[in-house]
Amino acid sequence: MEVVSFSARTIIHRFGYKESGFVAAASLFPTHTYKGLYTACSPNRQAILRNYTDSAQSSYLCLPRKHVVASWHDFEKKEELNRPHSGNILHNRNRLSGCVVVRSQLTGTGNSDAGYPLSDLKLGSKVRGICFYAVTAFNAIFLFVLMLLAHPFVLLFDRHRRRFHHFIAKTWATLTVAPFVKIKYEGLENLPPPNIPAVYVSNHQSFLDIYTLLTIGGSFKFISKTSIFLYPIIGWAMFLMGAIPLKRMDSRSQLECLKRCMNLTAKGASVFFFPEGTRSKDGKLGAFKKGAFSVAAKTKVPVVPITLKGTGKIMPPGMESILNLGCVEVVIHKPIEGSDPEVLCNEARKTISDELNRQ
């Protein structure tokens, strides 16, 4: 049977006694002898004490000693000093359990105002997601290889606009999306003529946005974060199409991106921005960055706002492996012209926001 006793240093550390006062106080209390060893309490009380300290998660009270250091009465007198420690543990456990209950209730009910309602993932959505990427890969066997073969000629004869690559991309995106998602277009007459450069801007809800926008057939260069170019097939295709990489939170990369955009628009090419900078997690329109509108104002080209509706529900952000049922709407608004980036930004955002609120 294990013998439990307590050193003066342990009790001082535990209860905050001063050493001289504590040693004097320890001598006032009776001690007990158990199996030839001096202890501060009887075997029965040792068991009680061990249970008590275990409940408080103490690591100090299980050291075998052969000297008298304290008595049970001393712990009874200073019991209140130990209560806050165990009380805090119980309090934290209660708070944790409360948080779990609240979170489970929110998960079960959801919020009617949320952009993307909470729902269970169905097997059908996962199967459609697998089929979607399988069709993408199958189409790429021919179309992406064709793009690779034509790339040297595109660089030689149409280096800036790369219209052949955009035609291949439109065909590829249409064949991939058509079996799974129905796309409705509105305002196609607002698209500028192919030979007029423009700055296109759109809200960003999903990875599916890129496929959807490619079906429009415009010869524009996407502004995309560098990690997208690592995606098999679609990332490589965007590189061949002349998409412009951008490193987030890198001022030098942002400056290089804007310079390249102005250079392309000056040579007759169009560029495409997601002014929010990232995908919306809840379907609500975020704040617009002014980079795209600065390019339009300095190069004196029109801004074409585009509203995408439904892509975030079909392929939610962060859940690119699933594909839900649904319909996508693409609304192309009238071009906006001006020389003030602030005015262009506010007007474009208001146009897209009004359209999203109309659904």
Side-chain angles (χ1 to χ4, degrees):
M1 181 173 182
E2 182 182 1
V3 178
V4 180
S5 62
F6 312 95
S7 67
R9 185 178 300 277
T10 299
I11 304 301
I12 291 169
H13 177 76
R14 182 68 174 176
F15 297 99
Y17 287 97
K18 293 183 179 179
E19 184 172 1
S20 59
F22 174 75
V23 174
S27 62
L28 298 178
F29 300 106
T31 60
H32 303 273
T33 303
Y34 180 71
K35 289 189 177 182
L37 299 179
Y38 290 98
T39 59
C41 57
S42 63
N44 293 334
R45 288 190 174 183
Q46 286 177 8
I48 298 174
L49 182 57
R50 184 181 293 110
N51 294 333
Y52 177 83
T53 55
D54 287 344
S55 65
Q57 296 183 355
S58 172
S59 60
Y60 297 94
L61 306 179
C62 298
L63 300 176
R65 308 289 287 188
K66 292 188 178 182
H67 302 285
V68 177
V69 293
S71 70
W72 177 259
H73 305 286
D74 188 59
F75 282 94
E76 291 177 343
K77 289 183 178 182
K78 299 301 179 181
E79 184 180 0
E80 293 182 357
L81 293 176
N82 202 28
R83 284 181 181 173
H85 178 71
S86 58
N88 287 337
I89 294 177
L90 295 176
H91 178 67
N92 292 335
R93 289 178 180 174
N94 291 335
R95 290 182 59 187
L96 178 60
S97 61
C99 293
V100 173
V101 171
V102 172
R103 185 169 181 176
S104 64
Q105 290 175 350
L106 289 175
T107 305
T109 59
N111 185 358
S112 59
D113 297 331
Y116 305 137
L118 300 174
S119 59
D120 295 333
L121 297 180
K122 297 181 180 179
L123 180 61
S125 297
K126 296 181 180 180
V127 172
R128 279 191 295 272
I130 295 173
C131 294
F132 177 83
Y133 289 108
V135 172
T136 297
F138 179 80
N139 292 331
I141 294 176
F142 304 101
L143 298 178
F144 182 71
V145 171
L146 182 61
M147 187 181 290
L148 280 174
L149 295 175
H151 189 63
F153 301 97
V154 170
L155 293 179
L156 184 62
F157 297 105
D158 192 16
R159 186 179 188 88
H160 301 292
R161 297 177 64 185
R162 306 189 185 189
R163 285 166 292 182
F164 179 78
H165 283 350
H166 283 86
F167 172 76
I168 295 295
K170 177 184 178 180
T171 305
W172 175 32
T174 302
L175 293 176
T176 300
V177 175
F180 305 96
V181 179
K182 182 179 180 181
I183 303 179
K184 298 180 180 179
Y185 301 95
E186 180 181 340
L188 289 173
E189 66 278 3
N190 294 324
L191 288 172
N195 59 338
I196 296 180
V199 174
Y200 295 83
V201 296
S202 171
N203 60 311
H204 199 11
Q205 297 181 344
S206 168
F207 184 65
L208 190 63
D209 293 346
I210 298 175
Y211 287 89
T212 303
L213 292 168
L214 287 174
T215 62
I216 298 176
S219 299
F220 39 70
K221 316 298 181 188
F222 282 101
I223 313 298
S224 180
K225 61 181 181 180
T226 54
S227 61
I228 295 294
F229 292 88
L230 301 177
Y231 284 26
I233 309 300
I234 187 170
W236 305 337
M238 289 177 64
F239 173 77
L240 296 179
M241 291 166 59
I244 303 171
L246 175 65
K247 294 181 180 180
R248 293 180 179 177
M249 309 304 294
D250 188 334
S251 57
R252 179 177 296 182
S253 176
Q254 294 173 1
L255 183 60
E256 289 295 328
C257 176
L258 294 178
K259 287 182 178 180
R260 188 172 175 182
C261 288
M262 288 188 286
N263 183 44
L264 286 171
T265 53
K267 294 180 179 180
S270 298
V271 292
F272 199 108
F273 284 82
F274 291 113
E276 294 171 276
T278 187
R279 289 170 292 177
S280 173
K281 302 300 182 182
D282 56 3
K284 298 179 181 179
L285 189 64
F288 277 13
K289 295 177 173 60
K290 298 183 178 62
F293 309 99
S294 297
V295 172
K298 291 180 179 180
T299 57
K300 298 180 180 180
V301 298
V303 175
V304 182
I306 297 178
T307 303
L308 299 176
K309 297 190 286 186
T311 55
K313 295 180 180 179
I314 296 175
M315 185 180 287
M319 304 173 68
E320 286 75 18
S321 61
I322 70 170
L323 192 72
N324 298 318
L325 294 173
C327 179
V328 174
E329 294 184 47
V330 181
V331 181
I332 304 169
H333 305 280
K334 294 182 178 180
I336 303 171
E337 297 183 2
S339 57
D340 188 345
E342 184 76 24
V343 175
L344 290 174
C345 179
N346 293 336
E347 188 171 353
R349 189 185 185 284
K350 184 179 183 301
T351 300
I352 296 176
S353 178
D354 291 345
E355 182 63 32
L356 288 174
N357 292 333
R358 192 171 65 88
Q359 63 182 353

